[in-house]
Amino acid sequence: MIAAFSVTPLGIGEDVGEAVAAAVRVVRRSGLPNRTDAMFTSIEGEWDEVMPVIKEAIEAVKAHSNRVSTVIKIDDRAGVTDGLTAKVASVERHLAEDGGQVRG
């Protein structure tokens, strides 16, 4: 499964980078395949591997704020491995076929 999640500390102002970095450290330390972008961190593995990492990441952000907002989106598909890379590769392959042109 792939879980994309965002943990945002509330009540600490606009600069949340330090708190978010604490969550990303937890994810990277897990050893599971992961990717972080401007909005979400995605992590790939089995349910029982991924969910404890997300919980620990939330706790890491709570060290910076008494209140956090968490959004989680899960793609749980049996038999898929390397989904973080394969999904993006599929889209890029389709874009390359037509030069990235807008169809319509």
Side-chain angles (χ1 to χ4, degrees):
M1 74 182 251
I2 298 172
F5 73 101
S6 172
V7 181
T8 305
L10 303 176
I12 67 168
E14 289 185 27
D15 185 4
V16 297
E18 183 179 359
V20 172
V24 173
R25 275 189 204 95
V26 168
V27 173
R28 291 184 179 174
R29 191 175 56 234
S30 76
L32 294 173
N34 65 84
R35 181 172 295 146
T36 299
D37 62 36
M39 297 291 293
F40 286 91
T41 294
S42 297
I43 184 169
E44 184 172 7
E46 298 298 321
W47 183 273
D48 292 339
E49 296 172 314
V50 169
M51 296 313 287
V53 174
I54 293 174
K55 181 179 180 184
E56 186 179 345
I58 292 168
E59 293 301 319
V61 174
K62 280 185 178 179
H64 296 266
S65 174
N66 290 330
R67 185 177 179 193
V68 300
S69 173
T70 305
V71 175
I72 304 172
K73 181 177 181 180
I74 296 173
D75 180 357
D76 192 359
R77 185 174 174 193
V80 174
T81 56
D82 196 29
L84 280 176
T85 304
K87 284 182 156 200
V88 175
S90 174
V91 171
E92 291 296 339
R93 185 175 60 253
H94 288 285
L95 287 169
E97 289 172 1
D98 63 10
Q101 299 299 311
V102 176
R103 296 181 186 180

